Structures are given as structure tokens and as C-alpha cells.
Amino acid sequence: MNSKRLFVLPVIVMGVCFWLISCSSKSLKDQRAQQEIEYVLEPGAQVVVSEGIATFTGTFPDEESMREAEQTARSIKSVKSVVNKATVAHKVQTAVDSNEPTQ
């Protein structure tokens, strides 16, 4: 009976260790994915990766930079889906005076 306990205890400890490592590796994958996506983000846009879901918020300067960030997120193996709650900044057009100076 004593030898059985000596065998079971290390197996349980190893199982708990593997479980803890696998749980922490998920958050590590999320952190690495977030860092990779943040590398291409423009100022004003943010991303949070949690449980394999990349969520964008904030404001992108244009559609192209938003598409680039989404494509980067989708290309990462650990990212399962992309949620985009961000907006695109509207460019303000200024009026140009078309009158030429008179001489």
C-alpha cells in the first residue's frame, strides 16, 4: 500500500504541474499575439487579445491601416477570431480660396 502512494503522489504532482503550465501558456500566447499586433498599430488604436480573440478599439487614421491590423491579427496562429470595435478618423477638408489676387 505504501508503494502505491509513492507512485500516485508524483503522478498527481506532475499532472498539476502540466495543468498549470498549459493554463499559463494560453495567456502567454495571448500576450505574444497582442505584442505582434501592437507593432503594426497606429497611434490611437488599441488591441486586447484574450482567449484567442483579438479586439480592436480606438481610432484608426484610415481604412488601410485598419485592414492591415486586422490582417495581421488573422495571420497569427493563436488568434481564433477578430472583433473590431474601432472607428476610422474622418479627415477634415478645409475650404480653399479659389479667388486669385487682383492686380
Side-chain angles (χ1 to χ4, degrees):
M1 180 115 156
N2 231 358
S3 64
K4 203 175 203 181
R5 284 186 187 170
L6 289 176
F7 176 73
V8 171
L9 185 60
V11 170
I12 291 172
V13 170
M14 286 176 42
V16 169
C17 289
F18 284 127
W19 177 75
L20 288 174
I21 290 170
S22 69
C23 287
S24 66
S25 68
K26 287 182 183 178
S27 69
L28 182 60
K29 287 179 183 178
D30 287 345
Q31 290 172 357
R32 287 182 180 165
Q34 183 166 331
Q35 289 171 347
E36 192 172 336
I37 298 165
E38 285 174 342
Y39 185 75
V40 300
L41 284 183
E42 299 287 334
Q46 299 86 32
V47 66
V48 174
V49 180
S50 178
E51 297 181 13
I53 301 170
T55 304
F56 290 99
T57 57
T59 305
F60 283 90
D62 52 44
E63 289 282 336
E64 183 180 335
S65 60
M66 182 186 289
R67 281 192 303 269
E68 180 183 356
E70 289 176 344
Q71 187 59 36
T72 299
R74 287 186 177 97
S75 70
I76 298 171
K77 187 176 180 180
S78 63
V79 174
K80 300 173 196 169
S81 65
V82 175
V83 176
N84 192 343
K85 297 179 179 179
T87 58
V88 175
H90 296 286
K91 293 186 179 184
V92 177
Q93 294 182 349
T94 57
V96 177
D97 189 7
S98 61
N99 294 333
E100 293 183 23
T102 57
Q103 295 179 356

